[in-house]
């Protein structure tokens, strides 16, 4: 079709070019007008609807005009009453944690399940479970990170299980049950011969020992210049998705005596953001030297927004509707660091900038609808919910 279009436009060019030398300026204008006209005439005659041209393809054109660029993370949540959402029932998915199954834990309103992420200038491909099961046949998908990574892992398994008739053919490789502190979980889809795995590594770098003669307040260290000891397990995967962020705060570091270490030396005065940058550069160097990016597609998911409020940030109030504000309100220093590090890497890695998606969704957190309602949760998400959108975006890359 493209070849025919090219021939049609070439014919118009030859017709116009004969008179070009006589009327230089005028013919130039005519050339532009007639070339455009011939293109549209051709499209009309061939039955092609101009509006059907793929926006994502248009966005690849070299242009200074940002309009029409397909940015999957620049968009809004739209209410979808088509019946498509939610994409699965968490109560029918044995790999969805009870902690995240808000409906089963007593949440009465279901409106939070009906929202679909819509980029401004394009559409995310609708999830087709049969296509994805075939796409993943024989593959190894690995998630590495904290509990938010585990939530995405659970979401992916539940999404894919909707296309499997024999649910017993999907099982955890070692017979383990999902728990918050287990370091490895691997689920096999035997009908399609692939695994979806999760490795718990909340900092991505290694937890180290305390150097001699350290101050008494130092109880443990994080070795910013050495990746987690289980890093060799992440190699030889086909899809590799990383995240880290929620443990990089005072409550989970300095207040429990955990400090940073580089080159075997304590860095007591190092800020959290400087430490985070150092850790990510360590990760980036490892990916560049150890991962075959011709085989493995590497992603790093940015920081996921939480909605703690109050003077001390300990209040969790889940709304009934998404909240909407300007893009500048939803910046994250962690996400900025991730994007900068990824952009400077020598190998292809995709930064999944999901920060804006979650920032709007103050209605989609676990809140008190968990297996422990006495401890509110405005960090994690209900399933089904926001992590499904992350996976829809991930699938669109594939």
């Amino acid at each position: 079709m493209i070849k025919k279009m090219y021939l049609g436009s070439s014919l118009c060019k030859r017709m116009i070019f004969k008179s070009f030398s006589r009327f230089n300026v005028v013919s130039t204008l005519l050339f532009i007008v007639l070339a455009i006209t011939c293109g549209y005439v051709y499209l009309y005659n061939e039955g092609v609807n101009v509006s059907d041209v793929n926006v994502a393809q248009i966005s690849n054109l070299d242009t200074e005009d940002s309009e029409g660029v397909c940015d999957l993370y620049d968009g809004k949540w739209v209410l979808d009453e088509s019946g498509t959402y939610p994409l699965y029932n968490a109560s029918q998915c044995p790999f969805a944690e009870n902690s995240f199954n808000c409906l089963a834990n007593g949440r009465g309103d279901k409106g939070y399940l009906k929202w679909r992420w819509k980029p401004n200038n394009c559409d995310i491909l609708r999830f087709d479970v049969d296509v994805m099961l075939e796409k993943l046949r024989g593959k190894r998908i690995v998630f590495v990170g904290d509990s938010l990574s585990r939530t995405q892992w659970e979401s992916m398994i539940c999404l894919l299980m909707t296309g499997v008739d024999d649910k017993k053919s999907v099982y955890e490789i070692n017979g383990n049950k999902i728990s918050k502190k287990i370091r490895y979980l691997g689920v096999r889809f035997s009908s399609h011969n692939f695994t979806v795995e999760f490795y718990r590594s909340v900092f991505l770098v290694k937890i180290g020992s305390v150097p001699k003669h350290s101050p008494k307040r130092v109880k443990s260290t994080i070795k910013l210049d050495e990746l987690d000891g289980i890093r060799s397990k992440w190699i030889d995967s086909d899809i590799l998705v990383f995240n880290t962020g929620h443990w990089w705060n005072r409550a989970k570091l300095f207040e429990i005596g955990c400090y940073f270490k580089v080159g075997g030396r304590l860095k007591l005065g190092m800020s959290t953001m400087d430490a985070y940058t150092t850790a990510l550069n360590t990760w980036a160097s490892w990916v560049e030297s150890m991962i075959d990016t011709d085989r493995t597609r590497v992603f790093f998911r940015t920081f996921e927004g939480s909605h703690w409020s109050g003077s001390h940030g300990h209040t969790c109030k889940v709304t009934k509707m998404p909240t909407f504000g300007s893009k500048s309100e939803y910046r994250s220093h962690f996400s900025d660091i991730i994007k900068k590090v990824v952009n400077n890497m020598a190998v292809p890695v995709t930064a999944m900038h999901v920060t804006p998606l979650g920032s709007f969704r103050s209605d989609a957190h676990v809140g008190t609808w968990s297996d422990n309602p006495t401890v509110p949760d405005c960090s994690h998400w209900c399933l089904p919910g926001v992590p499904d959108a992350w996976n829809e975006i991930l699938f669109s890359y594939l």
Side-chain angles (χ1 to χ4, degrees), residues 248 260 270-279 332-335 337:
W248 296 83
F260 307 122
M270 179 178 274
S271 71
T272 302
M273 289 303 163
D274 285 345
Y276 189 80
T277 303
T278 303
S332 162
H333 293 304
F334 290 113
S335 298
I337 293 169

Side-chain angles (χ1 to χ4, degrees), residues 4-14 31 35 38-39 42:
K4 289 181 179 178
M5 184 175 179
Y6 172 79
L7 292 173
S9 62
S10 296
L11 179 60
C12 290
K13 290 177 184 178
R14 288 197 296 271
F31 173 81
C38 287
Y42 171 79

Side-chain angles (χ1 to χ4, degrees), residues 151-214:
T151 310
Q152 185 178 7
W153 171 81
E154 294 175 25
S155 163
M156 175 174 277
I157 294 169
C158 293
L159 285 167
L160 294 172
M161 281 191 72
T162 62
V164 177
D165 293 328
D166 182 7
K167 307 302 182 186
K168 292 184 179 179
S169 67
V170 182
Y171 57 89
E172 205 286 322
I173 296 170
N174 297 313
N176 291 321
K177 292 183 178 181
I178 298 174
S179 71
K180 295 179 180 180
K181 293 188 177 181
I182 192 168
R183 293 219 71 187
Y184 172 76
L185 290 162
V187 169
R188 179 174 175 78
F189 284 72
S190 57
S191 60
H192 290 75
N193 187 34
F194 69 82
T195 57
V196 185
E197 304 173 34
F198 167 69
Y199 288 88
R200 184 176 185 268
S201 180
V202 298
F203 297 109
L204 297 184
V205 287
K206 196 170 186 177
I207 305 298
S209 59
V210 178
K212 292 182 178 180
H213 311 298
S214 297

